[in-house]
Amino acid sequence: LLRRLAAAASTGSASPAAGVGSLAATLRPLDTAARITHLRQHLRAAFARVLGHPDADQLDLDRTFGELGVDSLLAVEMRTQLGRSLDLPLPATLLFDHPDLDRLARHLASLLPTVTTPAPAPASAGQRDDDGVAALLAEQVRAMEQRP
């Protein structure tokens, strides 16, 4: 396990993302469901890589990290890499608190800020005054049109 971890670290393949915050930037515009789906795929590929699985699809998502062969050293390393790629502080116990890919993906998605659509800006005082003046003028025009 240590040889695989050292080899993965030297080639950079242990890193779930290319740089600080890069995964966060990818996830930021997505809604929660899409974030969870993307995180599951990302985590599956990252764990398959460091555990030496040739095909990420062969990694059983229903098994806990411990059952997959993740020990405390690898758990801390993966937490560090995830923290960097998400630009979030994560506890050392992350993989023990959320012991499978699905729970971890859901937890990480919940930590990211949600995308909100800005509300339309309220009309400025000048716009309100213009609207009031236009309404007053329209009322006066109607009154003049009704005079004999």
Side-chain angles (χ1 to χ4, degrees), residues 72-139:
S72 58
L73 179 64
L74 186 55
V76 171
E77 177 61 25
M78 288 302 292
R79 181 270 316 193
T80 302
Q81 295 299 327
L82 285 168
R84 279 190 204 130
S85 65
L86 291 170
D87 198 22
L88 291 172
L90 299 171
T93 59
L94 178 70
L95 272 65
F96 299 105
D97 296 338
H98 309 281
D100 61 47
L101 286 171
D102 185 56
R103 285 186 260 186
L104 181 58
R106 288 178 181 281
H107 175 69
L108 293 173
S110 75
L111 297 178
L112 297 168
T114 57
V115 177
T116 57
T117 306
S124 69
Q127 287 175 318
R128 282 191 294 261
D129 289 345
D130 291 347
D131 292 343
V133 170
L136 182 61
L137 286 173
E139 185 180 314

Side-chain angles (χ1 to χ4, degrees), residues 51-62:
L51 292 171
H53 288 274
D55 184 7
D57 292 333
Q58 292 179 353
L59 200 61
D60 187 357
L61 295 178
D62 295 326

Side-chain angles (χ1 to χ4, degrees), residues 1-19 22-23 39-59 68 70 74 77-78 81-82 85 101:
L1 179 63
L2 290 176
R3 276 189 227 109
R4 284 194 311 238
L5 193 61
S10 68
T11 62
S13 65
S15 169
S22 60
L23 180 58
L39 278 164
R40 278 186 193 135
Q41 293 168 347
H42 177 82
L43 291 169
R44 187 178 216 173
F47 277 99
R49 209 172 27 250
V50 287
L51 292 171
H53 288 274
D55 184 7
D57 292 333
Q58 292 179 353
L59 200 61
L68 293 172
V70 175
L74 186 55
E77 177 61 25
M78 288 302 292
Q81 295 299 327
L82 285 168
S85 65
L101 286 171

